[in-house]
Amino acid sequence: MFDSHAHLQDGKLKNDLENVLKRARDAGVARITCIGYDLESSQEAVGLARKFKQVYATVGVHPHDAKTMNPEVKEKLKNLARDPKVVAIGEIGLDYYRDLSPREKQKEAFIEQILLAQEIGKPIVIHDRDANQDVMEIIKKYKAGKNGGIMHCYSGNLPLAMEAVQNGFYISFAGPLTYKNARRSHEVVVKVPMERLLVETDCPYLTPEPLRGRINEPANVRYTVEKMAALRNQHPDEVAYLTERNACKVYRIKD
Ligand code: NI
């Protein structure tokens, strides 16, 4: 399995990281992408990717932190992004649910980082919460899926998912797929072509059933794989294999 989106640098995980990674390996999680959300967490993600063979990194400024984006931060992200183990720019996007940065600033940081990804020729990881329309408008206007990309922790509807697929994106599902009330996502998982599906934990957040309430970690991605397999009427091993292959493809991991 490939946990395509984890925050291993989070305080809840990093202090016990050797054990977290061992449990992941024991559960069959062969690769993990550690996702940055501001400059410091991006630097930490790259550090972990350099230290652990099975860990890859992304660098970027999350919409929550868009207000921290400036030319100096951008230059540092660009330098970090040249590391061969940096597999994407992210997570970037828009979050109109929490609005922790002004919306105009969120858009500006999102667009700047799309252009940065294009400049260095790497894919992007998108965070979209309650901002579907603006995210899709920007994706189309700037051809943001040119080098591929991921709609992370997808919770939108089917037409939007198909539009994202047509624009070069993969659709990634996290723990909420295992929740009973996630009917809309259950429909999307069945209809999106298998070759565009990914799984992730977004740990330490979004713990799947039956472990809800506990700190999430990469080993738990198997619950999302199992749910996806049940919904699609496929064997879990097949879904594990195919989603890993998809993640390697979008992140351009060859070995
Ligand atoms: Ni995340």
Side-chain angles (χ1 to χ4, degrees):
M1 288 173 279
F2 195 141
D3 181 356
S4 71
H5 191 118
H7 299 288
L8 300 175
Q9 70 280 61
D10 188 281
K12 293 188 189 75
L13 297 171
K14 74 173 167 192
N15 298 327
D16 190 31
L17 199 53
E18 302 275 351
N19 286 319
V20 166
L21 292 175
K22 183 178 185 308
R23 286 194 292 272
R25 257 195 317 275
D26 292 348
V29 181
R31 304 170 204 264
I32 302 162
T33 301
C34 182
I35 306 285
Y37 47 87
D38 62 6
L39 179 59
E40 195 189 340
S41 61
S42 296
Q43 287 165 334
E44 283 186 278
V46 175
L48 293 176
R50 284 176 181 153
K51 188 167 171 195
F52 299 103
K53 187 171 182 291
Q54 74 272 42
V55 176
Y56 301 84
T58 71
V59 302
V61 174
H62 191 285
H64 289 344
D65 301 288
K67 54 186 175 296
T68 68
M69 188 65 158
N70 61 43
E72 195 193 332
V73 167
K74 196 170 134 188
E75 195 54 35
K76 285 183 175 162
L77 288 175
K78 192 166 144 184
N79 289 333
L80 279 174
R82 293 207 174 91
D83 190 293
K85 284 201 85 180
V86 171
V87 291
I89 297 295
E91 59 187 291
I92 61 176
L94 303 175
D95 191 312
Y96 293 171
Y97 178 73
R98 295 187 63 193
D99 273 328
L100 294 185
S101 286
R103 291 184 181 183
E104 279 316 306
K105 188 69 193 168
Q106 291 189 38
K107 284 187 197 167
E108 200 183 296
F110 184 28
I111 293 164
E112 270 185 285
Q113 293 179 98
I114 288 170
L115 299 177
L116 171 62
Q118 289 174 349
E119 192 185 333
I120 60 165
K122 291 193 180 182
I124 59 174
V125 178
I126 291 188
H127 170 105
D128 169 7
R129 191 144 186 220
D130 290 355
N132 297 343
Q133 218 178 340
D134 284 0
V135 165
M136 190 50 70
E137 208 172 280
I138 290 171
I139 283 174
K140 285 180 173 168
K141 183 169 176 196
Y142 294 92
K143 298 189 172 33
K146 200 165 72 178
N147 296 306
I150 297 168
M151 301 299 287
H152 123 80
C153 191
Y154 191 74
S155 62
N157 61 25
L158 182 63
L160 187 80
M162 297 313 274
E163 206 175 357
V165 165
Q166 279 154 17
N167 281 280
F169 284 82
Y170 289 65
I171 311 296
S172 183
F173 287 91
L177 187 68
T178 64
Y179 304 168
K180 278 203 187 70
N181 62 5
R183 269 184 227 106
R184 187 165 72 178
S185 294
H186 296 166
E187 186 202 351
V188 177
V189 149
V190 173
K191 303 264 173 70
V192 168
M194 185 67 228
E195 61 269 20
R196 288 301 181 88
L197 286 174
L198 301 176
V199 289
E200 63 171 281
T201 56
D202 201 18
C203 60
Y205 315 107
L206 304 178
T207 309
E209 294 285 6
L211 304 174
R212 276 179 95 171
R214 290 167 58 174
I215 293 169
N216 200 9
E217 60 178 59
N220 299 335
V221 80
R222 70 186 180 89
Y223 294 105
T224 302
V225 167
E226 283 165 9
K227 184 70 187 183
M228 191 178 276
L231 289 164
R232 292 182 59 96
N233 213 0
Q234 286 177 275
H235 194 284
D237 290 351
E238 191 187 7
V239 170
Y241 170 76
L242 293 172
T243 51
E244 183 183 8
R245 201 183 60 178
N246 294 345
C248 285
K249 194 165 179 209
V250 66
Y251 285 138
R252 302 173 186 176
I253 295 167
K254 297 252 157 52
D255 57 298

